[in-house]
Structures are given as structure tokens and as C-alpha cells.
Amino acid sequence: MTRDEVIAKWNWMNPQERNIWVAVKVMGKNKSPINYGWISSEGFDHYPKNYSTDMGAAWEVIQKMKSKGFSFTLNEASEKSGSVILGEAKSGDNMCNFHIATKEIFIPAFRETMPEAICLAALIAQGEGIEE
């Protein structure tokens, strides 16, 4: 999926659907074949963690991305930032940028909350061909 496709899909999903998407695409879990809205892990079905709303769970996404070779930056968009000037973000939006500087791969995402920015950036990074 392209960056724009990932963002469009993210925007129409509810938090539970987002959490399942992150669990499967980023964290390597499987959707439950039996229980809708659950994931399967280690032989058990359960709800995914609240990756898109809970900073503790979002931090696990960061750790997973680090294991895939990414560095990261967390920040807040300001009036002076290029992303606000270019209209990509609003002042005060939270930003997560996953990057592999040696390959010149930089994947920023801006959202109202930091967990959302982290998850969205991680999903976009998967579209860049970065897989385990």
C-alpha cells in the first residue's frame, strides 16, 4: 500500500480495527480464525493490545520497529516546522518518524496523539518494503 492508501484506511477505521491491523502487520500476530476482532498468539485467542491509544502498547511498536533496523524520533509539529508550513500537519500534532539514515528512508506520521502517530508511521513503513 502507498502512504496515502495507508492513511486513508487508517482514517476510516475504528480504534479496535486499527489495533488488529497493527498487531498483524507490524507485530507479526495472526487474526483469529474463530473470534472476529481477536488475534491468535501462542495458541490463544485474545483482544489485541490498545496500540493506537495506549502509550505503553505503542512503545512495544517502537521496540518492534527498532528490531527491524529503524531508528525513531518523537516530536511535536510547530509553526516553524516544514510539515506545518507545507500543510502536512497542524501545529501541535504529535509526530513519529521512523528512519534508516544509511538507506535514506524516512517515514514520518502526524496525529493528534502520540500512540496514533507511532502506529501510523509503523504501518506506512511496512509499505516501504521493510519486512522481517
Side-chain angles (χ1 to χ4, degrees):
M1 295 178 87
T2 67
R3 176 185 181 81
D4 290 340
E5 290 170 335
V6 171
I7 292 170
K9 182 175 178 178
W10 179 272
N11 287 340
W12 66 258
M13 293 178 128
N14 66 45
Q16 181 66 12
E17 292 169 324
R18 291 172 178 169
N19 293 332
I20 292 168
W21 193 18
V22 172
V24 172
K25 188 69 174 171
V26 178
M27 304 303 287
K29 309 290 184 188
N30 296 308
K31 286 184 182 179
S32 169
I34 300 168
N35 297 305
Y36 177 77
W38 291 28
I39 58 170
S40 290
S41 171
E42 300 172 8
F44 297 98
D45 285 356
H46 55 87
Y47 285 114
K49 292 184 178 184
N50 292 319
Y51 298 110
S52 66
T53 58
D54 176 62
M55 192 59 196
W59 193 256
E60 292 180 31
V61 173
I62 288 173
Q63 297 303 314
K64 186 68 166 183
M65 294 301 288
K66 285 176 63 177
S67 76
K68 295 178 180 187
F70 283 91
S71 297
F72 70 98
T73 306
L74 303 177
N75 209 337
E76 184 177 284
S78 70
E79 290 297 328
K80 295 179 182 180
S81 71
S83 54
V84 172
I85 293 168
L86 295 173
E88 187 175 313
K90 300 182 305 271
S91 183
D93 277 355
N94 290 283
M95 184 268 302
C96 177
N97 182 16
F98 285 112
H99 43 87
I100 301 177
T102 58
K103 294 183 180 180
E104 295 187 23
I105 297 173
F106 299 91
I107 299 117
F110 300 89
R111 286 290 166 221
E112 288 183 19
T113 69
M114 190 58 74
E116 281 191 82
I118 291 166
C119 291
L120 185 57
L123 288 165
I124 293 168
Q126 300 307 306
E128 295 294 322
I130 308 301
E131 300 287 342
E132 284 188 283

